[in-house]
Amino acid sequence: MPDKKIKLALFASGTGSNVARIVDYFRQSSRVECSLIVCNKQGAGVLQIAEKEGIDTVLLDKETFFRGDAYTGFLQEAGIDWIILAGFLWKIPPALIRAWPEHIINIHPALLPAYGGKGMYGRHVHEAVLQNGEKESGITIHLVDEQYDHGRTLFQARCPVEPGDTPETLAKRVQALEHTHFPRVIEELVS
Ligand code: GAR
């Protein structure tokens, strides 16, 4: 009997460019499978990716999600081994963290611990980096704990902030780092 594949649930709220990269990276994998795309926003781009790829989706209900362990049983029954937050903007409830100890990871578009915390996502992060005149930014991939952007760092990559950068140009450079590194870091971690 072949080994059971490692099953990922990809949580995303937005466009889903990272989800698209991750799905593409593991398409031919004999070890890792993107089993489920979990989204909290109706109409989010990531749902179109899921449809195109034929991956099952779950659209989260806010009240149910924050009630605690409401989705835990469902994800356990689906056999999910790792939860990957790829642009997911809700805080993960403690019950979910307890059910997947050290098996939930997040990507953040800055060099944590700087520029993290509540409200620090997407464009807001890049605006703050530019306002403070930073010379570099980057990405952080980290374990998820009960505080925003706080768990143990697993990987960081850096890029320069160029003179004349706007939040958009900086976001593009940071996103390129995400697309290059995130799938590979996931593979190393879960294998
Ligand atoms: C990514 O840049 C990710 O780092 C960020 O959301 C973006 C999602 O883009 N996450 C956070 O800011 C979490 N605090 P995508 O939908 O194109 O993958």
Side-chain angles (χ1 to χ4, degrees), residues 22-153:
I22 294 164
V23 168
D24 199 45
Y25 187 87
F26 291 113
R27 197 183 302 282
Q28 310 292 344
S29 172
S30 56
R31 302 262 302 121
V32 180
E33 175 184 305
C34 298
S35 302
L36 202 57
I37 291 179
V38 178
C39 180
N40 62 331
K41 208 166 147 200
Q42 210 153 17
V46 70
L47 294 171
Q48 287 168 24
I49 295 169
E51 195 180 344
K52 178 171 149 257
E53 298 286 350
I55 299 174
D56 288 344
T57 54
V58 178
L59 193 58
L60 296 172
D61 171 70
K62 190 168 189 174
E63 201 198 313
T64 312
F65 186 72
F66 287 108
R67 209 185 299 145
D69 60 357
Y71 286 97
T72 306
F74 172 80
L75 293 166
Q76 280 168 339
E77 272 164 37
I80 298 303
D81 297 298
W82 288 82
I83 294 176
I84 311 295
L85 310 185
F88 185 73
L89 302 182
W90 284 354
K91 200 164 175 207
I92 300 298
L96 215 54
I97 294 171
R98 280 196 299 272
W100 277 269
E102 305 224 319
H103 278 59
I104 307 180
I105 67 171
N106 180 46
I107 190 159
H108 187 77
L111 297 170
L112 292 174
Y115 304 104
K118 195 166 164 51
M120 273 294 170
Y121 60 88
R123 185 189 167 90
H124 303 290
V125 175
H126 307 304
E127 279 172 354
V129 167
L130 290 173
Q131 261 163 25
N132 285 345
E134 299 289 354
K135 297 277 178 285
E136 63 176 9
S137 190
I139 63 168
T140 304
I141 298 169
H142 65 94
L143 290 174
V144 171
D145 66 12
E146 293 182 20
Q147 296 174 47
Y148 269 116
D149 303 323
H150 180 264
R152 178 160 58 86
T153 293

Side-chain angles (χ1 to χ4, degrees), residues 18 107-112 126 137-142 153 155-159 173-182 185:
N18 279 285
I107 190 159
H108 187 77
L111 297 170
L112 292 174
H126 307 304
S137 190
I139 63 168
T140 304
I141 298 169
H142 65 94
T153 293
F155 177 84
Q156 288 189 312
R158 291 161 191 275
C159 64
R173 202 172 302 121
V174 169
Q175 197 176 51
L177 286 179
E178 295 187 325
H179 294 170
T180 301
H181 295 288
F182 200 19
V185 171

